[in-house]
């Protein structure tokens, strides 16, 4: 397990994770809106989810990483 920092993630960290997830094809789109919320779409024809803030983007990235790693472990 990766140790979590004691501070909440900044928008820059969340933006970096969002960019990587989209670039790697793990999400279709992410958009930061002026309210500080994030709009996230997993697939092009899927629903748009609203995430409350940067912590939610980082948690989503962690969940996706966990899913990928546990899937890879199952195929070994």
């Amino acid at each position: 397990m990766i140790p979590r920092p004691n501070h909440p993630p900044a928008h820059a960290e969340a933006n970096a994770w969002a960019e990587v997830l989209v670039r790697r094809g793990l999400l279709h789109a992410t958009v930061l809106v002026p309210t500080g919320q994030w709009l996230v779409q997993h697939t092009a024809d899927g629903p748009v989810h609203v995430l409350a803030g940067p912590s939610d983007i980082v948690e989503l990235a962690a969940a996706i990483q966990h899913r990928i790693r546990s899937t890879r472990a199952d195929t070994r």
Side-chain angles (χ1 to χ4, degrees):
M1 180 173 238
I2 299 171
R4 299 283 299 156
N6 292 333
H7 61 86
H11 283 285
E13 181 182 359
N15 189 51
W17 275 112
E19 185 178 321
V20 167
L21 292 171
V22 171
R23 191 176 338 128
R24 298 286 183 172
L26 300 168
L27 291 176
H28 174 70
T30 58
V31 177
L32 174 61
V33 295
T35 62
Q37 296 174 312
W38 288 82
L39 305 179
V40 176
Q41 192 174 25
H42 291 271
T43 61
D45 58 349
V48 175
H49 300 277
V50 179
L51 301 182
S55 294
D56 292 330
I57 287 286
V58 174
E59 287 176 19
L60 177 61
I64 290 171
Q65 285 182 323
H66 178 72
R67 187 181 72 229
I68 290 169
R69 288 183 180 143
S70 58
T71 302
R72 286 183 184 162
D74 291 343
T75 60
R76 289 183 189 173

